[in-house]
Amino acid sequence: MGKSRSATLLLAHHLSTHPAADPTTALMLLRQGRPMAEPNPGFMDQLHLYHRMCCPAKVAAHPLYQRWCYKRVVKRSKAAAQAPGSELIVFEDETEGTPALEEGEKPEWEIKGGEEVAKRAEGEEEEEEEEEEEEEEEEEYRCRRCRTQLGDSTYLVPHTPRNANANSNNKKKRTTPSPTTSQPCAHLFLHPLSWMRPVLSRGELDGRLECPNARCGQNVGKYAWQGMRCSCGEWVVPGISVARGKVDVIAVSRRKKAVTAEGEV
C-alpha cells in the first residue's frame, strides 16, 4: 500500500539528496503528498541512524552501522542462548570510528558547507585565531599484578546503578538507603577489545577473561553474552567486564587543542 517500506525508501533518498533535512521533517513533507505514509518504528530508527551517519554512499562499511548490526547479533544470540560468531564480533579498538553525534553537535557536511565556512572564506570574521588547551579526564585500567593496560574509559559501557531498594518488590520498604549504594560498582563493563579475541572467539556463551600478558595470566574478569548483573543490581547485555578488585584504575589527563577560528582541532 506504500505506507511503510516504500515511504522509508523515499525518505532515505530525500535525506541523501537534501543534507539539511532530518527524518522527522522529511516525513512531515512526505505526508503533505501522501498522508498515509507511516514507516514502522524499526524503519524510523534506521532512518535516524542513516542521518547520524551523514547519509554515506557505502553504508555497510560505516562504524555506526557495524555497531548497529553487532547489537542485533548480540540480541539474537541471547535469544538463541549461544555466542555470536567470531566474525560478527566488533572489537572497538580496531574500528576507525565516526562517533555518534552528540546533542547539538553539527554533522560534518553542515560544518563544511554552512555559513561558518562561507564567512571564513569571505574574511568576514576579524577575530584572531585563539588556541585553547582543554584537559580531558580519562581513566586507564591496568592489571594489578603486571600493570598491563586492559582498556580505558573510552571503551567503558555506561550503566545506571539501580537503587537497592527498587530491587526488592516483595520485601518490606526500607526507610534508610543500603550502605552499598554509594560504593562504586564491582564490575567495569567494557566493549569487546582486541586482547579478548582469543577467548571471545571460542564460541562459548560465558567464561573468564585473563590478562593478555603471557607471563601473567591473572584472572581479571569474566564475560557472559546473555548478560550479567552488576553489583549495583543493573543488568548489562552483553556482560563483558573486568573486576575492579583485579585492576588499578589510573586517572589520566589528555590535552586536546581547540581552535576557535580556522585550523584543525
Side-chain angles (χ1 to χ4, degrees):
M1 295 179 61
K3 181 180 179 180
S4 180
R5 191 183 303 273
S6 58
T8 302
L9 292 174
L10 287 173
L11 292 173
H13 175 72
H14 181 79
L15 292 174
S16 66
T17 54
H18 297 78
D22 63 78
T24 303
T25 57
L27 179 58
M28 293 173 61
L29 179 63
L30 179 60
R31 284 175 175 168
Q32 292 179 10
R34 191 170 183 79
M36 65 181 298
E38 188 66 38
N40 66 50
F43 286 160
M44 284 302 296
D45 288 342
Q46 293 178 51
L47 285 171
H48 283 289
L49 174 66
Y50 185 53
H51 180 249
R52 290 200 304 273
M53 293 162 54
C54 299
C55 307
K58 297 182 179 180
V59 174
H62 198 284
L64 288 182
Y65 178 75
Q66 292 175 353
R67 291 190 186 100
W68 178 80
C69 292
Y70 169 67
K71 290 180 180 179
R72 287 171 59 89
V73 168
V74 171
K75 186 176 181 180
R76 290 175 184 156
S77 298
K78 179 187 176 184
Q82 62 182 15
S86 58
E87 71 281 358
L88 300 176
I89 301 175
V90 177
F91 296 94
E92 288 292 322
D93 54 339
E94 296 178 358
T95 60
E96 296 179 0
T98 301
L101 295 177
E102 301 293 339
E103 184 176 356
E105 184 179 357
K106 294 182 179 180
E108 185 178 1
W109 56 263
E110 187 172 344
I111 295 174
K112 289 184 177 179
E115 295 180 357
E116 298 168 18
V117 175
K119 286 181 180 179
R120 293 172 191 169
E122 296 171 4
E124 293 183 7
E125 292 186 355
E126 298 180 354
E127 296 182 0
E128 297 180 356
E129 295 182 8
E130 294 182 2
E131 292 188 0
E132 297 179 358
E133 288 189 351
E134 299 178 353
E135 285 193 359
E136 295 184 347
E137 292 293 334
E138 295 181 1
E139 291 180 341
E140 289 183 354
Y141 312 122
R142 295 181 177 272
C143 173
R144 183 161 290 181
R145 175 182 290 181
C146 69
R147 307 288 291 171
T148 297
Q149 184 170 343
L150 305 176
D152 56 51
S153 52
T154 59
Y155 302 118
L156 197 66
V157 177
H159 69 282
T160 304
R162 186 178 297 178
N163 192 314
N165 297 333
N167 296 330
S168 52
N169 296 327
N170 299 325
K171 297 180 181 180
K172 292 182 179 180
K173 293 184 178 180
R174 300 176 181 176
T175 56
T176 57
S178 170
T180 60
T181 55
S182 60
Q183 299 297 320
C185 295
H187 303 281
L188 295 166
F189 290 94
L190 301 172
H191 290 287
L193 299 175
S194 55
W195 67 267
M196 305 175 186
R197 187 190 299 275
V199 176
L200 298 184
S201 299
R202 294 174 185 169
E204 298 175 353
L205 195 60
D206 51 43
R208 298 192 311 169
L209 293 174
E210 297 180 348
C211 175
N213 185 348
R215 296 183 178 181
C216 178
Q218 167 81 349
N219 177 25
V220 293
K222 54 186 178 180
Y223 71 93
W225 289 108
Q226 70 273 26
M228 186 187 307
R229 189 178 299 280
C230 182
S231 60
C232 68
E234 183 68 13
W235 190 265
V236 182
V237 180
I240 303 175
S241 76
V242 294
R244 190 179 290 271
K246 298 289 187 177
V247 300
D248 287 327
V249 180
I250 304 171
V252 293
S253 296
R254 304 189 189 280
R255 292 187 177 274
K256 179 181 178 182
K257 286 187 177 181
V259 181
T260 57
E262 290 185 356
E264 298 181 354
V265 177

